[in-house]
Amino acid sequence: MLKAGIQILLFFVPWPLRRWALNILFGFSLDANSRIGFSILLADEVILAKGASLGHFNYIGRLDKLEMHEEAIIGNFNWITGLSRKLNSLFFRKNPGRRSELLMKRASMVAHQHYIDCSDRVEFGMYSGLAGVRSQLITHGIEPLSCRQTCTPIIVGDYTMVGTGSLITKGVKIPSYCLVSAGSVVGHAKPESYSLIAGNPAVHIRNVPETAKFFSRTNAVIH
């Protein structure tokens, strides 16, 4: 595709000039203090605020919008798919309010080698994180009774961490101030903050102290 080809050619251009070109050629809105590595972005609208960064070898498919707030981070080798409404696809016509978006609020983070399906909206709250590798967030699926594709947003609350190798299915809203254990399969989540969620299917295991430092940190990256 032309858009991808131009972006690959721009890999050989210094970042300040490349950022300018992406803003001019594709209508992106990239802050002077944001940064994009060697990654392909096919989203119709791309907004990166001050300090937001997208690492190397990520593929961002045809989303309606990718929006990253201040200090939000996407690591390396992530595969993020979408289905822009401008494509007029036959899929999801029963979901007229659908928005193919990835929203990352302040200092949220997606680490490395994850798969995120943005057929519908995926939202990460402030200081939330998709940790480790090989997690999947799937916003769409087949409804057997009607034999149609359906989609519903996934929302990860503020200061919530999803552990490595987890699966989050469509319609899940994980509350703020929660920890999702590695390898969990989350098909639903009760609106209860300060919880450890784990298992297949994932359930509330125990409470987590409100004094846990993870819930009051001020940096996206934990050292």
Side-chain angles (χ1 to χ4, degrees), residues 88-89 95 108 119 146 180:
N88 293 318
S89 171
N95 301 83
S108 57
S119 296
S146 62
V180 178

Side-chain angles (χ1 to χ4, degrees), residues 147-164:
C147 195
R148 290 185 180 275
Q149 293 272 4
T150 62
C151 60
T152 318
I154 291 174
I155 298 176
V156 179
D158 299 338
Y159 292 92
T160 287
M161 181 178 69
V162 178
T164 185

Side-chain angles (χ1 to χ4, degrees), residues 14-180:
W15 169 244
L17 181 58
R18 182 172 159 230
R19 181 185 63 81
W20 176 84
L22 291 172
N23 285 340
I24 295 299
L25 294 176
F26 303 125
F28 291 176
S29 179
L30 308 178
D31 185 87
N33 292 309
S34 65
R35 190 165 186 88
I36 296 175
F38 302 138
S39 293
I40 299 296
L41 291 83
L42 304 180
D44 295 336
E45 183 178 3
V46 177
I47 302 171
L48 268 65
K50 180 179 179 180
S53 66
L54 178 67
H56 297 307
F57 309 115
N58 296 288
Y59 172 80
I60 311 293
R62 189 69 188 276
L63 282 65
D64 289 307
K65 180 167 69 172
L66 167 67
E67 183 172 359
M68 299 175 67
H69 292 183
E70 295 86 351
E71 308 298 331
I73 298 171
I74 295 177
N76 305 319
F77 293 100
N78 294 289
W79 191 268
I80 300 170
T81 63
L83 188 65
S84 168
R85 294 190 300 174
K86 291 182 180 180
L87 295 174
N88 293 318
S89 171
L90 293 175
F91 293 101
F92 311 123
R93 291 196 171 181
K94 293 295 184 179
N95 301 83
R98 178 186 70 88
R99 291 282 298 174
S100 179
E101 298 179 336
L102 175 59
L103 171 61
M104 299 190 64
K105 294 187 176 179
R106 180 179 178 85
S108 57
M109 183 181 71
V110 170
H112 312 296
Q113 301 178 45
H114 297 297
Y115 172 73
I116 301 177
D117 157 43
C118 293
S119 296
D120 211 324
R121 179 184 181 91
V122 174
E123 178 180 323
F124 288 93
M126 298 187 301
Y127 297 96
S128 66
L130 185 59
V133 296
R134 299 189 308 277
S135 288
Q136 299 180 60
L137 278 67
I138 311 294
T139 60
H140 81 280
I142 294 174
E143 171 53 56
L145 295 181
S146 62
C147 195
R148 290 185 180 275
Q149 293 272 4
T150 62
C151 60
T152 318
I154 291 174
I155 298 176
V156 179
D158 299 338
Y159 292 92
T160 287
M161 181 178 69
V162 178
T164 185
S166 294
L167 171 63
I168 314 296
T169 61
K170 66 185 181 77
V172 167
K173 298 180 180 179
I174 304 175
S176 298
Y177 305 102
C178 284
L179 305 175
V180 178

